[in-house]
Amino acid sequence: MPGCKFALKTLALLVCAAVLPAEAQDLYDRNLVVNGGAEAGPAAPSAEQSVSNLPGWRGYGGFTVTTYNPDGITMEDDGPADRGKQFFVGGRNSGRSYAEQVIALNGVTPGAKFHMTAFMGKNYGNQNPKDVKLTATFQDDRGQTIQETTIHGPDTAVDYGIPGGLQPRSISGYLLPNVTQVRVIIELTALNETNGSSLAADNIELVLTRDRLTGANILNNGNLEASPAASPVRGWNGHMDSLKVKDYSNPTSRWDLVTASPGPAARGKNYMHFDVGGDAGIQKRIWQTIEVTRSPYLAVIDAGQMRYRLEGWLGVAEGVEDEIKMRLVFQDGRTPAGTIGAVETATLKGQSGAPALRSVGVGGGAATLPAGTRRILVEILLTKRSTVVDDMFAYADEMSLVLTAPPQVTIEGVGNAANYVAGKVSAGEILVVYGTDFGPDQVAGYTISNGAFTTSAGETRVYFDDVPAPMLYSASGQLSCIVPYSVTGRQTTRVQAEFKGEKGNILTIPVSASVPGLFTLDQTGRNQLAALNSDYSLNGASRPAARGSIVMLFGTGEGPTTPSGSDGKLAVGVYPKPVANVTAQVGGRDAEVLYAGAAPDLVAGVIQINVRIPADAPLGNVPVVIKVGTETSQSGATLTIR
């Protein structure tokens, strides 16, 4: 019973995951950390008592939540401007104190930018908050570590405040291929302390964006528009007592810049304002660190082909000797990082006339990133030169760091279009392919000619052992194609992308007899399946399936078929079936498979599986898996049963 009423109109709904970029998922431009502000659960009566309910986190040791209060960190102490009533603290003396959570990143695009930040410091006492540590461990679907990054708390008493306070710390980077989850750990273990740990943290964030490593400004909040006026500067590290965001249109003293002040013509509403008092020689520093450990750019960097340009607008108050400058520091991949080299922009000192901003920059597009660079540190340094004990006023706005590299068509990773599982492919499998320098800026869809998908979309092609693959779409850095059936019987296949006639690297990938995946409605490979009930209605909460009824599932990765599949052909007339045996489980019960084969009117490579829901299947949202030969589809995909 293939379900012949199924038509191309329904194809757009059921296999949307294969024809829309995975970026459509809700993974970008929001904080992925659950309960990063410690507000979701109750607080302990004191920092020495643990809480058992820690929503989003699994806590260990004395890790706990407490409130901002006069006996610890107060609402007036340094900390996030948008803090709630509660924050995390190490708690009672019980050895290691930490909490962790695992965040699914199924379908995230390789090369996506991550920005991790937290406010860290101490509650009271003399502990050193540099022992506060926030780590993100990015892993593949087998739990193997792909990359890891860590930020530490403040280093000195001047930084973390007396008796207590929280300072912003952050780091940015770019995701390597095959990342499917991230383990976030906040460590609040006080070393050599006998009275417990008063190390503290709040507003923990991990945000993904679509920003690219090359061709655009990679600084976070370089124009200051992401920060509300009079608040700490988002995206930058530093001591907050001397650094604020100010509004050009709302000056509060004669030392402030105003809308008419000389400066960048395209400036926004805000600028960065430094107010530092003290003796001569005092230096203040703000900075941000950007990791560039991402293929294929490591080879580009180490070959001396990556260029950089750093620009900004800086200013110093009139008639003083104080100075401000910007600096780049290139670091290697060691822990702690070693310095490869440093480059400074022009140093500005006090000037006559009203406060103003002047343009400074280095690189100009011709400077080369040193070979071995894995991190870039961007600093703004302020130095008080005057012998008069007074305030030092300085300003910055519209800062940018742009990296450029020669175009290089590159495949970085591939995954099953239904569940994003990577590492191997099978004949006829629909894939999502990630990389660089291929595909148009706007999504280019498939073309059907003579009853088959063509092998080009948006001037982009993909070859498997020199055989062109049917294309479903292409976009900048991402495409979807169907593995040719010619890979059947091979141990590996050589995959290569082509854009506007230029071919790129060759990626060798193992070939499996099957790599089954089931399509889901939210395009994550998890949650509600893209499935039809026996009356061809879409299965879901509003239309659950009855026990004993038949549902139609849709997937890909079934491998070789009989008769042999035809690349890109729409299934009409004869419906090929997989060579391997197909079984199914619904809610942990074995389910009868009535049909497993090509889906009518859909492209070869989409498998339809009609299963009867067991009479004793559990009710509600229940897990469903299929098995093709020895390979099993993903966990976490569900049907709704009544």
Side-chain angles (χ1 to χ4, degrees), residues 21-148:
E23 287 184 339
Q25 297 175 85
D26 187 23
L27 287 175
Y28 298 90
D29 303 310
R30 67 180 181 89
N31 184 17
L32 298 176
V33 176
V34 178
N35 191 23
E39 299 299 312
S46 72
E48 287 74 36
Q49 294 177 281
S50 295
V51 292
S52 58
N53 182 15
L54 196 61
W57 299 90
R58 177 176 292 181
Y60 299 88
F63 195 93
T64 189
V65 172
T66 191
T67 58
Y68 289 95
N69 62 83
D71 295 326
I73 302 177
T74 71
M75 296 296 287
E76 288 71 38
D77 286 329
D78 288 340
D82 56 348
R83 74 187 91 183
K85 297 179 180 180
Q86 303 176 170
F87 62 94
F88 301 111
V89 67
R92 70 183 188 278
N93 186 22
S94 58
R96 189 180 179 203
S97 178
Y98 69 101
E100 66 177 3
Q101 61 179 265
V102 177
I103 303 166
L105 300 179
N106 298 82
V108 67
T109 303
K113 186 177 184 180
F114 67 84
H115 182 66
M116 184 170 68
T117 185
F119 280 75
M120 300 189 284
K122 71 180 184 67
N123 196 346
Y124 57 85
N126 297 315
Q127 297 166 352
N128 191 341
K130 70 181 179 182
D131 297 327
V132 179
K133 183 169 64 174
L134 178 64
T135 300
T137 303
F138 297 94
Q139 302 171 326
D140 63 16
D141 58 315
R142 297 183 302 277
Q144 300 297 310
T145 297
I146 302 293
Q147 64 190 111
E148 186 172 86

Side-chain angles (χ1 to χ4, degrees), residues 513-516 557-559 578-583 626-632:
S514 65
V515 188
E558 73 272 23
V579 172
N581 185 48
V582 179
T583 60
I626 64 167
K627 191 173 184 179
V628 182
T630 60
E631 301 290 334
T632 304

Side-chain angles (χ1 to χ4, degrees), residues 323-624:
E323 65 182 36
I324 183 173
K325 62 185 175 184
M326 293 178 67
R327 187 167 76 138
L328 281 177
V329 180
F330 305 106
Q331 299 176 329
D332 59 26
R334 293 179 293 177
T335 303
T339 298
I340 297 174
V343 180
E344 296 181 2
T345 64
T347 298
L348 297 183
K349 295 186 178 181
Q351 53 213 11
S352 60
L357 292 166
R358 290 170 48 192
S359 177
V360 298
V362 293
T368 302
L369 219 63
T373 297
R374 297 297 181 263
R375 284 185 172 189
I376 302 175
L377 178 66
V378 183
E379 299 177 307
I380 301 178
L381 301 172
L382 300 97
T383 305
K384 184 171 180 54
R385 300 299 184 188
S386 172
T387 58
V388 179
V389 177
D390 58 10
D391 288 341
M392 173 175 65
F393 299 100
Y395 324 97
D397 199 0
E398 298 299 323
M399 293 161 286
S400 69
L401 174 63
V402 178
L403 306 183
T404 56
Q408 186 176 19
V409 176
T410 304
I411 291 178
E412 297 180 353
V414 304
N416 184 294
N419 59 18
Y420 307 106
V421 170
K424 54 188 176 182
V425 300
S426 64
E429 182 184 4
I430 301 176
L431 299 177
V432 176
V433 179
Y434 307 102
T436 58
D437 295 323
F438 62 69
D441 291 337
Q442 301 297 320
V443 177
Y446 59 82
T447 301
I448 296 176
S449 177
N450 298 321
F453 281 59
T454 65
T455 58
S456 178
E459 300 183 87
T460 306
R461 294 176 182 266
V462 181
Y463 297 88
F464 291 76
D465 303 310
D466 298 323
V467 177
M471 294 287 296
L472 277 74
Y473 71 79
S474 71
S476 179
Q478 183 173 320
L479 60 86
S480 182
C481 66
I482 306 172
V483 180
Y485 285 95
S486 59
V487 306
T488 300
R490 295 179 178 270
Q491 297 296 312
T492 61
T493 183
R494 299 162 69 249
V495 187
Q496 185 178 37
E498 176 186 282
F499 183 54
K500 294 184 177 180
E502 179 185 346
K503 290 185 177 180
N505 68 316
I506 294 176
L507 192 65
T508 300
I509 303 175
V511 176
S512 176
S514 65
V515 188
L518 293 173
F519 290 107
T520 61
L521 288 182
D522 64 4
Q523 306 170 28
T524 66
R526 300 175 184 270
N527 306 317
Q528 175 65 50
L529 284 161
L532 296 181
N533 298 318
S534 56
D535 62 355
Y536 299 98
S537 62
L538 190 63
N539 181 265
S542 62
R543 291 184 178 272
R547 288 170 169 169
S549 68
I550 297 170
V551 293
M552 290 165 270
L553 314 176
F554 299 87
T556 189
E558 73 272 23
T561 63
T562 180
S564 180
S566 180
D567 294 346
K569 184 180 179 181
L570 296 178
V572 293
V574 177
Y575 303 127
K577 298 181 179 180
V579 172
N581 185 48
V582 179
T583 60
Q585 283 195 333
V586 176
R589 276 72 163 175
D590 291 336
E592 180 186 3
V593 175
L594 293 94
Y595 171 81
D601 297 319
L602 300 192
V603 67
V606 176
I607 183 174
Q608 176 177 330
I609 309 102
N610 296 353
V611 301
R612 187 183 303 279
I613 297 176
D616 61 346
L619 303 181
N621 294 325
V622 303
V624 176

Side-chain angles (χ1 to χ4, degrees), residues 115-433:
H115 182 66
M116 184 170 68
T117 185
F119 280 75
M120 300 189 284
K122 71 180 184 67
N123 196 346
Y124 57 85
N126 297 315
Q127 297 166 352
N128 191 341
K130 70 181 179 182
D131 297 327
V132 179
K133 183 169 64 174
L134 178 64
T135 300
T137 303
F138 297 94
Q139 302 171 326
D140 63 16
D141 58 315
R142 297 183 302 277
Q144 300 297 310
T145 297
I146 302 293
Q147 64 190 111
E148 186 172 86
T149 189
T150 298
I151 50 178
H152 293 267
D155 291 324
T156 68
V158 173
D159 284 335
Y160 60 69
I162 297 175
L166 303 173
Q167 300 296 331
R169 293 294 182 265
S170 63
I171 196 167
S172 298
Y174 296 82
L175 295 183
L176 293 169
N178 300 326
V179 168
T180 60
Q181 64 181 24
V182 57
R183 182 174 177 238
V184 177
I185 303 176
I186 178 67
E187 178 93 35
L188 300 178
T189 302
L191 302 178
N192 303 318
E193 291 294 328
T194 59
N195 297 320
S197 168
S198 61
L199 302 183
D202 201 357
N203 282 35
I204 300 169
E205 295 185 359
L206 178 66
V207 177
L208 302 183
T209 68
R210 298 173 177 84
D211 299 328
R212 299 180 58 137
L213 177 61
T214 60
N217 183 14
I218 63 174
L219 289 185
N220 298 291
N221 196 20
N223 60 7
L224 292 311
E225 299 307 305
S227 305
S231 73
V233 184
R234 293 185 64 87
W236 294 84
N237 300 296
H239 194 244
M240 296 187 303
D241 67 346
S242 57
L243 172 61
K244 299 292 181 184
V245 175
K246 286 207 170 183
D247 184 342
Y248 285 106
S249 65
N250 186 30
T252 57
S253 77
R254 72 183 186 92
W255 303 109
D256 293 348
L257 298 178
V258 297
T259 303
S261 297
R267 64 184 149 197
K269 179 181 179 181
N270 298 333
Y271 68 96
M272 192 181 293
H273 183 278
F274 305 90
D275 180 357
V276 181
D279 297 325
I282 284 180
Q283 187 174 79
K284 291 291 183 178
R285 163 181 174 262
I286 68 165
W287 74 95
Q288 59 179 269
T289 303
I290 303 166
E291 294 185 340
V292 294
T293 308
R294 178 192 165 228
S295 68
Y297 292 115
L298 295 188
V300 174
I301 291 170
D302 293 343
Q305 296 177 329
M306 183 71 79
R307 308 287 191 262
Y308 69 84
R309 181 178 73 253
L310 175 69
E311 295 178 319
W313 289 76
L314 306 179
V316 182
E318 60 177 305
V320 297
E321 300 176 23
D322 307 323
E323 65 182 36
I324 183 173
K325 62 185 175 184
M326 293 178 67
R327 187 167 76 138
L328 281 177
V329 180
F330 305 106
Q331 299 176 329
D332 59 26
R334 293 179 293 177
T335 303
T339 298
I340 297 174
V343 180
E344 296 181 2
T345 64
T347 298
L348 297 183
K349 295 186 178 181
Q351 53 213 11
S352 60
L357 292 166
R358 290 170 48 192
S359 177
V360 298
V362 293
T368 302
L369 219 63
T373 297
R374 297 297 181 263
R375 284 185 172 189
I376 302 175
L377 178 66
V378 183
E379 299 177 307
I380 301 178
L381 301 172
L382 300 97
T383 305
K384 184 171 180 54
R385 300 299 184 188
S386 172
T387 58
V388 179
V389 177
D390 58 10
D391 288 341
M392 173 175 65
F393 299 100
Y395 324 97
D397 199 0
E398 298 299 323
M399 293 161 286
S400 69
L401 174 63
V402 178
L403 306 183
T404 56
Q408 186 176 19
V409 176
T410 304
I411 291 178
E412 297 180 353
V414 304
N416 184 294
N419 59 18
Y420 307 106
V421 170
K424 54 188 176 182
V425 300
S426 64
E429 182 184 4
I430 301 176
L431 299 177
V432 176
V433 179

